[in-house]
Amino acid sequence: MPEHITIKDIARILNISVSTVSRALRDAYDVNPETREKVLHLAKELDYKPNFNASGLAGGGTRNIGIILPFITNYYFSMVITGIQEVAYAKGYNIVLYVTNDSPEREMDVVRNLNTQNLDGVLVSVCSDSAANNYFEQIIAEGTPVVFFDRVLGSVDASKVVQDDYNGAFEAVEHLVKQGFSRIAHIAGPAGLDFTKHRLAGYLDALERYGLPVEPAWIVHSGFSQADGEADLEVLWEGKERPDAVFAVNDRKAIGVILQLKKRGIRVGPDFGVIGFTDDPMSAIISPSLSTVAEPAYEVGKQSCELLLQHIVRKNNFQVREITLPGVLIARESTRRS
Amino acid sequence: MPEHITIKDIARILNISVSTVSRALRDAYDVNPETREKVLHLAKELDYKPNFNASGLAGGGTRNIGIILPFITNYYFSMVITGIQEVAYAKGYNIVLYVTNDSPEREMDVVRNLNTQNLDGVLVSVCSDSAANNYFEQIIAEGTPVVFFDRVLGSVDASKVVQDDYNGAFEAVEHLVKQGFSRIAHIAGPAGLDFTKHRLAGYLDALERYGLPVEPAWIVHSGFSQADGEADLEVLWEGKERPDAVFAVNDRKAIGVILQLKKRGIRVGPDFGVIGFTDDPMSAIISPSLSTVAEPAYEVGKQSCELLLQHIVRKNNFQVREITLPGVLIARESTRRS
DNA sequence: TTGTAGGCGTTATCAT
DNA sequence: ATGATAACGCCTACAA
């Protein structure tokens, strides 16, 4: 049976009270440096591990932070988590994972049943048709620190960390234009998502900036999968006016596009430009390699977590912040004319 | 402020004692069906959420299970986690994530500081040069249920869930042989890992079975990255006898091999066979597409978690089990002669 | 600066 | 079948 050391043990051995030990351990105010030193020393020696159940119960922190997100099986999200994990680990926090499978029902269920008593704060990236708006707001109202990342809820008043979707999209389209493409379609994400709108806006503004026509039929919304990308290209291909390039909302869809084009015998690059968004490692592996806007996924994770921890420490006394991180255009073969 | 409903509230309203409520909620023995019904009904009505900190403290379960693994940024592990997550969610357990970055120091630190008081059980896949053997054994000795998956510690007496590495490797090599390749090299994983050994054994036995020579220089050990695969091929290429095919321990390395071969102008498939292990989605995207042995990643996750939950429920009263799940050979272009 | 006492929400042990 | 009551380990007034 686990014979765990508690602050009681330390108190007994040192012949002081548990409150003093408790204070010393959390280096709270008002504790004699010598006493603290003794406590810390003994704690290390006995390999004392705080019981977070107890401290959580008693009103201290639980040292747990939750992450709610649609998936972990893609490059972007797994990198974000890795970034989160890194800072959480460094600060002694545990990560509790909630995966919604991009299902609004599941997300709602997760948020509604979220045990905020066991969590010091929550990081969230919402699903495609999130309907949990109210529930998130409720959690926030209850006083739980929340930071949204990547897929944020524009309407909710909370801290947010995102990449610069608008400018990334603008630059992607600009790049296509400069490579000589002029009939540029956009294979977009689910219409409800904030970043879908931002990338779409960047696309539209870039077209306008370069005096290119906006063809409504060239804007196709669907999901994020490779299969969606393939299907979307079909749609474009069947239209009466065919584009000569595509800006896809993410790499996975762009890859679907490339695969379809190859199947049709189109030379991607020379004859048809394709650019994505993310910089998934697949982009460098597919042939022709995929131009893209690299997202600072790891950094999004790091900064989200740092921000959340600030909120947690400053309890109720923090400023809501919105952080936007720049992406980087990476030109590869799929936009190279020759 | 969070005004959480507690069993006390329910007890007061129903005019019964907290112990009865507690029992009713956990549908323990000895509680009047009517009473239980009332309690359950009111609990739902008030949206009662158990405080796991409290139940953990009091000796009940914490409803948390830990996962310790090297990475989450690859297809295999992220699928495993997804599988784990699915059953944990269904059974009302939370997942606490610990990523070791495949670093033995980090792993040791994680395991040593693991707060088993906050965890009902732990799932683990060890890192490449794990030195945490003793610590895992200690955790197990203390009574914490542990199930290893994929990267298991052969020497530790605990439940394990793995894919059939030996047979998968055997079939991969057999497939190369049947395609007419005869000078087959093996680009292996870190020598210390159990499954590296199993896949190597499958490779060796397949060579023997088909009367092919074992060339020690054709067995190269290194890490799991694409870069490792590229470097390994270089090594093979510089050797005095060149192989005509490679069985790589995983897809990522196999992809490195293909990329290197393409760079050298070798026609992968017709002139040089390559087969991997995993069935990472990248395998289908690279050109030529990569033959591989598909691993039941999701299933490994599911079964690991189910097994762990059984151990948790049967507390101390369970049988250690080892489960081996079959893989499936997937033939693609990289082993097609014509 | 330190100690005392009460309580956090739940479960377990005894009674009844 | 149900109820008191005492933990569980920690934190936070309040008192000293």
Side-chain angles (χ1 to χ4, degrees):
Chain A
M1 290 305 103
E3 280 299 331
H4 287 127
I5 303 292
T6 73
I7 58 173
K8 270 186 192 168
D9 298 319
I10 298 182
R12 190 167 26 74
I13 297 176
L14 255 31
N15 211 9
I16 57 181
S17 75
V18 290
S19 25
T20 304
V21 176
S22 173
R23 280 188 287 253
L25 252 16
R26 281 169 304 126
D27 69 359
Y29 60 109
D30 277 355
V31 36
N32 190 315
E34 266 182 51
T35 314
R36 171 181 10 270
E37 199 44 52
K38 280 196 294 187
V39 170
L40 259 32
H41 184 75
L42 185 59
K44 186 141 299 176
E45 192 174 313
L46 297 180
D47 191 26
Y48 164 76
K49 298 174 193 167
N51 184 325
F52 295 135
N53 287 324
S55 79
L57 229 204
T62 63
R63 290 268 153 180
N64 284 148
I65 65 181
I67 307 182
I68 301 175
L69 42 48
F71 298 114
I72 58 168
T73 51
N74 69 37
Y75 172 75
Y76 180 81
F77 281 125
S78 65
M79 280 306 286
V80 172
I81 297 177
T82 303
I84 292 170
Q85 214 279 333
E86 214 47 51
V87 357
Y89 174 75
K91 306 271 185 161
Y93 282 79
N94 292 323
I95 282 177
V96 185
L97 199 60
Y98 300 91
V99 181
T100 64
N101 292 338
D102 209 28
S103 143
E105 296 77 31
R106 177 75 163 258
E107 181 179 71
M108 196 132 62
D109 188 56
V110 165
V111 182
R112 286 196 44 186
N113 294 312
L114 199 63
N115 230 294
T116 49
Q117 308 165 96
N118 298 212
L119 260 19
D120 288 352
V122 186
L123 292 164
V124 9
S125 192
V126 301
C127 68
S128 292
D129 295 293
S130 180
N133 230 288
N134 297 335
Y135 297 104
F136 284 120
E137 279 170 343
Q138 192 175 324
I139 286 178
I140 294 169
E142 277 176 0
T144 305
V146 174
V147 173
F148 289 90
F149 64 91
D150 185 45
R151 301 193 184 182
V152 306
L153 247 23
S155 63
V156 175
D157 181 38
S159 284
K160 291 159 193 168
V161 179
V162 295
Q163 46 277 331
D164 193 339
D165 293 308
Y166 174 84
N167 281 309
F170 189 98
E171 285 172 28
V173 174
E174 185 173 53
H175 173 67
L176 287 172
V177 173
K178 290 193 171 161
Q179 294 300 104
F181 299 102
S182 59
R183 306 158 62 72
I184 303 172
H186 179 37
I187 287 187
L193 242 33
D194 264 48
F195 81 63
T196 294
K197 293 171 195 159
H198 296 154
R199 292 182 194 176
L200 175 58
Y203 160 80
L204 291 172
D205 285 3
L207 290 187
E208 188 183 16
R209 163 73 182 73
Y210 289 97
L212 295 177
V214 172
E215 184 71 59
W218 287 352
I219 300 174
V220 189
H221 286 272
S222 67
F224 288 118
S225 75
Q226 191 174 312
D228 288 323
E230 296 185 16
D232 292 349
L233 184 84
E234 288 246 8
V235 171
L236 292 174
W237 215 249
E238 302 312 325
K240 63 171 90 119
E241 301 261 8
R242 284 184 188 163
D244 67 356
V246 162
F247 160 50
V249 72
N250 73 357
D251 285 351
R252 213 57 208 273
K253 294 186 85 166
I255 285 168
V257 167
I258 290 180
L259 260 24
Q260 279 296 308
L261 289 168
K262 282 171 79 172
K263 197 175 287 179
R264 287 176 159 76
I266 309 297
R267 294 183 311 161
V268 173
D271 298 340
F272 197 105
V274 180
I275 189 165
F277 211 110
T278 299
D279 198 28
D280 189 302
M282 285 186 185
S283 313
I285 283 169
I286 193 170
S287 175
S289 56
L290 175 66
S291 297
T292 189
V293 179
E295 294 184 276
Y298 184 84
E299 198 61 24
V300 166
K302 268 190 64 175
Q303 300 218 18
S304 306
C305 193
E306 278 165 3
L307 192 51
L308 182 68
L309 292 183
Q310 283 178 25
H311 287 6
I312 290 172
V313 172
R314 307 223 180 110
K315 206 69 182 176
N316 297 328
N317 192 23
F318 57 80
Q319 293 259 325
V320 164
R321 282 185 58 194
E322 304 204 5
I323 297 177
T324 302
L325 268 20
V328 177
L329 181 80
I330 297 181
R332 295 201 180 95
E333 294 164 357
S334 68
T335 51
R336 195 171 302 156
R337 291 322 281 254
S338 57
Chain B
M1 292 302 105
E3 280 299 332
H4 286 126
I5 304 291
T6 73
I7 59 173
K8 274 186 188 169
D9 297 320
I10 297 181
R12 189 167 26 75
I13 296 175
L14 253 31
N15 211 10
I16 56 181
S17 74
V18 291
S19 359
T20 304
V21 177
S22 175
R23 281 189 286 254
L25 253 14
R26 280 169 303 133
D27 69 357
Y29 60 109
D30 275 358
V31 37
N32 190 316
E34 265 182 52
T35 313
R36 169 175 18 267
E37 199 42 55
K38 279 196 293 185
V39 170
L40 260 32
H41 184 75
L42 185 58
K44 185 141 298 175
E45 193 174 313
L46 298 179
D47 192 26
Y48 164 75
K49 298 175 194 169
N51 184 326
F52 295 135
N53 287 325
S55 81
L57 227 204
T62 63
R63 291 269 152 180
N64 284 148
I65 66 181
I67 308 180
I68 300 176
L69 41 49
F71 297 115
I72 59 169
T73 50
N74 69 34
Y75 173 76
Y76 179 82
F77 282 125
S78 64
M79 280 306 285
V80 173
I81 298 178
T82 303
I84 293 171
Q85 214 280 333
E86 213 49 51
V87 356
Y89 174 75
K91 306 272 185 161
Y93 282 79
N94 292 324
I95 282 178
V96 185
L97 199 60
Y98 300 91
V99 182
T100 64
N101 293 338
D102 209 27
S103 144
E105 296 77 31
R106 177 73 162 261
E107 181 181 70
M108 196 132 60
D109 188 55
V110 166
V111 183
R112 286 197 44 185
N113 294 311
L114 199 63
N115 231 293
T116 49
Q117 308 165 98
N118 298 213
L119 261 18
D120 288 352
V122 186
L123 292 164
V124 9
S125 191
V126 301
C127 68
S128 292
D129 295 294
S130 181
N133 230 288
N134 297 335
Y135 297 105
F136 284 120
E137 279 170 343
Q138 191 175 324
I139 286 179
I140 294 168
E142 277 177 359
T144 306
V146 173
V147 173
F148 289 90
F149 65 90
D150 186 45
R151 302 192 183 182
V152 306
L153 247 24
S155 62
V156 175
D157 181 38
S159 284
K160 291 158 193 170
V161 179
V162 296
Q163 45 278 330
D164 193 340
D165 293 307
Y166 173 86
N167 280 311
F170 189 99
E171 285 172 28
V173 174
E174 184 173 54
H175 173 67
L176 288 171
V177 173
K178 292 193 171 162
Q179 295 300 105
F181 299 103
S182 59
R183 309 158 59 74
I184 303 172
H186 180 36
I187 288 187
L193 242 32
D194 264 47
F195 81 64
T196 294
K197 293 171 195 159
H198 297 154
R199 293 183 193 176
L200 175 58
Y203 160 81
L204 291 172
D205 285 4
L207 291 187
E208 187 181 16
R209 163 73 183 73
Y210 289 98
L212 295 177
V214 171
E215 184 70 59
W218 287 352
I219 300 174
V220 189
H221 286 272
S222 66
F224 288 118
S225 75
Q226 190 172 310
D228 287 323
E230 297 185 16
D232 291 350
L233 184 86
E234 288 247 7
V235 172
L236 292 175
W237 216 248
E238 302 312 327
K240 64 172 87 124
E241 300 261 8
R242 284 185 188 162
D244 67 355
V246 161
F247 161 51
V249 72
N250 74 356
D251 285 351
R252 213 56 207 273
K253 294 185 86 166
I255 284 169
V257 167
I258 290 180
L259 260 23
Q260 279 296 309
L261 289 168
K262 282 172 78 172
K263 197 174 288 179
R264 287 174 158 75
I266 308 296
R267 293 184 311 161
V268 173
D271 298 339
F272 197 105
V274 180
I275 188 165
F277 210 111
T278 299
D279 198 27
D280 189 303
M282 284 186 185
S283 312
I285 283 170
I286 193 170
S287 175
S289 56
L290 175 66
S291 297
T292 188
V293 179
E295 295 183 275
Y298 184 84
E299 199 61 23
V300 166
K302 266 190 66 175
Q303 300 218 17
S304 307
C305 192
E306 277 164 3
L307 192 50
L308 182 68
L309 292 183
Q310 283 177 26
H311 287 7
I312 290 172
V313 172
R314 307 223 180 110
K315 206 69 183 177
N316 297 328
N317 193 23
F318 56 80
Q319 293 258 325
V320 162
R321 283 186 58 195
E322 303 204 5
I323 298 177
T324 302
L325 269 18
V328 176
L329 181 80
I330 298 182
R332 295 202 180 96
E333 294 164 357
S334 67
T335 51
R336 194 171 301 155
R337 289 323 279 253
S338 56

